[in-house]
Amino acid sequence: MMQCCDARAVMKLPGGEKLCKTHFCAYFEAKVRKTIRQFDLLGEKERLGVAISGGKDSLTVLSLLKHISDENPGIAITALAINEGIHGYRDATLETARAFCARIGVPLHVFSYEEEFGMALDGILRRHDVRPCSVCGVFRRYLLNRKARELGFTKLATGHNLDDECQSILMNQFRNDIKASARLGPKTGLKERQGFVTRIKPLYLCTEKEVTTYAFLNGILDAFAECPNAAKSYRAEVRDMLNDLENTSPGTKYSIVNSFLQTLPLLKEKFKDEALGTCPECGEPSSRGVCRACVWMRKVQATKKAEM
Amino acid sequence: MLITAHIDRENRTKPLALDRGANVSGLLRALGINPVTVIVARNGEVVMEDDELHDGDSLSIMSVVSGG
């Protein structure tokens, strides 16, 4: 078994190589920087937004991008967080996010479903029989894009990692929704789509285990907090299946994402003519007339009216 | 030998009797935890699956799963 040096190993890579703390952190940081270069995620001048939840993925990406920003004065960083209104979960993670931003000197904006949509997620779920992540995802994507555009961000970075991308690729396959996969990749929402702020995923080639290990070794990992709704999601089923496969066949996740990256240009070409208009109600980008966020906002307003 | 393992995702600490010479991999197997989904620390230091455990060890098992 290959080992980087005599120091105690903290990580075994899928190929079998073992790395100590120093070499693992150097490997991880180099991989993120290489991802940024390889996929042209950052220009010399950016007004960069970083979407954070207070979890280890988004705080890790914020920390790494802050280093890059410090080295490149043309890149200014601001963090953005969404308070969905999930009792017993989000308050604590937002507090972690606030403390972390204060510690590393990054300004933070927080927006809530309650203020933006008139109702917190918990309230919506009490009144509607729906998978939590479906409505929450619609509102979160909508709000992040709108606020990123209003704040003048040239790009919005997220903490999505290799595991997240793998899950999305397979979920789209299982649902026969290949068009949705054409919108995946390390850099999405390119400017040909009017109104979309380009999203970048610097942790695209880092596994969840690598991110967690890096966060732990660098004092970024806070107490474990899991959204109480996460276990009910289809994504959680796909995640567990993928982790079982990765355990018996190390490197499976890399293989899935690497093969996807080879087909992504073909997918983008196939769906390049798909019309992307704007929602007639809110003006946000939409491929289906009234956008799903507005459909849900109507439902929320109707519920509130009925209860008055 | 007797060790204790704190599982952060379940927020519980569990005492376990393991055979002498057992390693981290054996511990996770005994707990039914997929090693891909966690990192394990002893005295604040990450340990690997083939690291041997010792009587009285106190381990922290941290989930790598995204919290949402």
Side-chain angles (χ1 to χ4, degrees), chain A residues 62 66 69-70 77-79 97-108:
Chain A
L62 179 63
K66 176 67 166 62
S69 164
D70 289 344
I77 285 199
T78 303
R98 282 194 185 95
F100 190 75
C101 285
R103 175 149 68 94
I104 66 169
V106 172
L108 168 68

mmCIF file of all heavy atoms in Angstrom, chain A residues 62 66 69-70 77-79 97-108:
data_model
loop_
_atom_site.group_PDB
_atom_site.id
_atom_site.type_symbol
_atom_site.label_atom_id
_atom_site.label_comp_id
_atom_site.label_asym_id
_atom_site.label_seq_id
_atom_site.Cartn_x
_atom_site.Cartn_y
_atom_site.Cartn_z
ATOM 1 N N LEU A 62 -16.498 28.210 1.274
ATOM 2 C CA LEU A 62 -16.344 29.629 1.619
ATOM 3 C C LEU A 62 -14.916 29.907 2.099
ATOM 4 O O LEU A 62 -14.286 30.885 1.691
ATOM 5 C CB LEU A 62 -17.357 30.028 2.702
ATOM 6 C CG LEU A 62 -17.294 31.480 3.172
ATOM 7 C CD1 LEU A 62 -17.606 32.452 2.036
ATOM 8 C CD2 LEU A 62 -18.264 31.726 4.334
ATOM 9 N N LYS A 66 -12.308 32.249 0.171
ATOM 10 C CA LYS A 66 -11.786 33.432 0.876
ATOM 11 C C LYS A 66 -10.265 33.513 0.696
ATOM 12 O O LYS A 66 -9.721 34.594 0.444
ATOM 13 C CB LYS A 66 -12.159 33.359 2.361
ATOM 14 C CG LYS A 66 -11.599 34.492 3.214
ATOM 15 C CD LYS A 66 -12.222 35.828 2.842
ATOM 16 C CE LYS A 66 -11.974 36.939 3.845
ATOM 17 N NZ LYS A 66 -10.580 37.306 4.064
ATOM 18 N N SER A 69 -9.682 34.686 -2.750
ATOM 19 C CA SER A 69 -10.020 36.106 -2.831
ATOM 20 C C SER A 69 -8.907 36.967 -2.225
ATOM 21 O O SER A 69 -8.555 38.017 -2.772
ATOM 22 C CB SER A 69 -11.340 36.339 -2.098
ATOM 23 O OG SER A 69 -11.525 37.700 -1.832
ATOM 24 N N ASP A 70 -8.341 36.506 -1.106
ATOM 25 C CA ASP A 70 -7.250 37.256 -0.466
ATOM 26 C C ASP A 70 -6.030 37.348 -1.378
ATOM 27 O O ASP A 70 -5.288 38.339 -1.359
ATOM 28 C CB ASP A 70 -6.848 36.595 0.857
ATOM 29 C CG ASP A 70 -7.926 36.779 1.932
ATOM 30 O OD1 ASP A 70 -8.799 37.652 1.753
ATOM 31 O OD2 ASP A 70 -7.910 36.025 2.931
ATOM 32 N N ILE A 77 -15.821 38.731 -2.204
ATOM 33 C CA ILE A 77 -16.691 37.640 -1.739
ATOM 34 C C ILE A 77 -17.754 38.127 -0.762
ATOM 35 O O ILE A 77 -17.465 38.908 0.152
ATOM 36 C CB ILE A 77 -15.846 36.553 -1.041
ATOM 37 C CG1 ILE A 77 -15.092 35.758 -2.095
ATOM 38 C CG2 ILE A 77 -16.702 35.611 -0.232
ATOM 39 C CD1 ILE A 77 -14.604 34.442 -1.610
ATOM 40 N N THR A 78 -18.988 37.651 -0.974
ATOM 41 C CA THR A 78 -20.093 37.892 -0.039
ATOM 42 C C THR A 78 -20.832 36.574 0.146
ATOM 43 O O THR A 78 -21.025 35.835 -0.817
ATOM 44 C CB THR A 78 -21.080 38.926 -0.626
ATOM 45 O OG1 THR A 78 -20.372 40.127 -0.933
ATOM 46 C CG2 THR A 78 -22.197 39.243 0.357
ATOM 47 N N ALA A 79 -21.237 36.274 1.378
ATOM 48 C CA ALA A 79 -21.978 35.032 1.624
ATOM 49 C C ALA A 79 -23.476 35.313 1.649
ATOM 50 O O ALA A 79 -23.925 36.425 1.958
ATOM 51 C CB ALA A 79 -21.530 34.421 2.948
ATOM 52 N N ALA A 97 -23.139 29.675 10.724
ATOM 53 C CA ALA A 97 -22.770 30.420 9.511
ATOM 54 C C ALA A 97 -22.372 31.854 9.871
ATOM 55 O O ALA A 97 -21.352 32.375 9.385
ATOM 56 C CB ALA A 97 -23.938 30.428 8.520
ATOM 57 N N ARG A 98 -23.169 32.488 10.731
ATOM 58 C CA ARG A 98 -22.880 33.883 11.126
ATOM 59 C C ARG A 98 -21.523 33.972 11.824
ATOM 60 O O ARG A 98 -20.705 34.856 11.533
ATOM 61 C CB ARG A 98 -23.971 34.398 12.073
ATOM 62 C CG ARG A 98 -25.252 34.787 11.374
ATOM 63 C CD ARG A 98 -26.179 35.598 12.290
ATOM 64 N NE ARG A 98 -27.445 35.846 11.613
ATOM 65 C CZ ARG A 98 -28.523 35.085 11.752
ATOM 66 N NH1 ARG A 98 -28.510 34.046 12.564
ATOM 67 N NH2 ARG A 98 -29.633 35.368 11.079
ATOM 68 N N ALA A 99 -21.298 33.038 12.768
ATOM 69 C CA ALA A 99 -20.045 33.061 13.530
ATOM 70 C C ALA A 99 -18.859 32.824 12.605
ATOM 71 O O ALA A 99 -17.809 33.471 12.739
ATOM 72 C CB ALA A 99 -20.094 31.985 14.623
ATOM 73 N N PHE A 100 -19.010 31.905 11.650
ATOM 74 C CA PHE A 100 -17.902 31.595 10.743
ATOM 75 C C PHE A 100 -17.581 32.792 9.838
ATOM 76 O O PHE A 100 -16.411 33.128 9.644
ATOM 77 C CB PHE A 100 -18.243 30.360 9.894
ATOM 78 C CG PHE A 100 -17.080 29.830 9.114
ATOM 79 C CD1 PHE A 100 -16.071 29.110 9.747
ATOM 80 C CD2 PHE A 100 -16.965 30.068 7.750
ATOM 81 C CE1 PHE A 100 -14.977 28.637 9.032
ATOM 82 C CE2 PHE A 100 -15.877 29.595 7.031
ATOM 83 C CZ PHE A 100 -14.888 28.872 7.676
ATOM 84 N N CYS A 101 -18.620 33.420 9.311
ATOM 85 C CA CYS A 101 -18.411 34.595 8.448
ATOM 86 C C CYS A 101 -17.729 35.719 9.221
ATOM 87 O O CYS A 101 -16.834 36.397 8.693
ATOM 88 C CB CYS A 101 -19.745 35.080 7.876
ATOM 89 S SG CYS A 101 -20.372 34.023 6.567
ATOM 90 N N ALA A 102 -18.161 35.915 10.478
ATOM 91 C CA ALA A 102 -17.546 36.958 11.304
ATOM 92 C C ALA A 102 -16.074 36.626 11.542
ATOM 93 O O ALA A 102 -15.209 37.513 11.496
ATOM 94 C CB ALA A 102 -18.296 37.084 12.630
ATOM 95 N N ARG A 103 -15.793 35.334 11.772
ATOM 96 C CA ARG A 103 -14.420 34.905 12.077
ATOM 97 C C ARG A 103 -13.470 35.141 10.902
ATOM 98 O O ARG A 103 -12.332 35.568 11.091
ATOM 99 C CB ARG A 103 -14.427 33.420 12.461
ATOM 100 C CG ARG A 103 -13.045 32.808 12.690
ATOM 101 C CD ARG A 103 -13.082 31.689 13.722
ATOM 102 N NE ARG A 103 -13.807 30.516 13.281
ATOM 103 C CZ ARG A 103 -13.228 29.453 12.705
ATOM 104 N NH1 ARG A 103 -11.933 29.439 12.513
ATOM 105 N NH2 ARG A 103 -13.955 28.412 12.357
ATOM 106 N N ILE A 104 -13.949 34.852 9.680
ATOM 107 C CA ILE A 104 -13.023 34.990 8.537
ATOM 108 C C ILE A 104 -13.212 36.320 7.792
ATOM 109 O O ILE A 104 -12.545 36.569 6.798
ATOM 110 C CB ILE A 104 -13.143 33.791 7.559
ATOM 111 C CG1 ILE A 104 -14.513 33.743 6.868
ATOM 112 C CG2 ILE A 104 -12.859 32.475 8.266
ATOM 113 C CD1 ILE A 104 -14.566 32.741 5.729
ATOM 114 N N GLY A 105 -14.154 37.142 8.265
ATOM 115 C CA GLY A 105 -14.304 38.476 7.695
ATOM 116 C C GLY A 105 -14.991 38.513 6.343
ATOM 117 O O GLY A 105 -14.525 39.171 5.414
ATOM 118 N N VAL A 106 -16.114 37.786 6.228
ATOM 119 C CA VAL A 106 -16.903 37.802 4.989
ATOM 120 C C VAL A 106 -18.303 38.317 5.319
ATOM 121 O O VAL A 106 -18.940 37.805 6.251
ATOM 122 C CB VAL A 106 -17.006 36.385 4.374
ATOM 123 C CG1 VAL A 106 -17.989 36.358 3.211
ATOM 124 C CG2 VAL A 106 -15.643 35.894 3.912
ATOM 125 N N PRO A 107 -18.795 39.347 4.590
ATOM 126 C CA PRO A 107 -20.158 39.825 4.863
ATOM 127 C C PRO A 107 -21.194 38.769 4.505
ATOM 128 O O PRO A 107 -21.000 37.988 3.572
ATOM 129 C CB PRO A 107 -20.297 41.051 3.952
ATOM 130 C CG PRO A 107 -19.205 40.940 2.948
ATOM 131 C CD PRO A 107 -18.128 40.101 3.533
ATOM 132 N N LEU A 108 -22.291 38.734 5.286
ATOM 133 C CA LEU A 108 -23.322 37.707 5.091
ATOM 134 C C LEU A 108 -24.699 38.352 4.983
ATOM 135 O O LEU A 108 -25.052 39.215 5.783
ATOM 136 C CB LEU A 108 -23.300 36.736 6.292
ATOM 137 C CG LEU A 108 -24.476 35.765 6.438
ATOM 138 C CD1 LEU A 108 -24.458 34.727 5.309
ATOM 139 C CD2 LEU A 108 -24.434 35.063 7.794
#
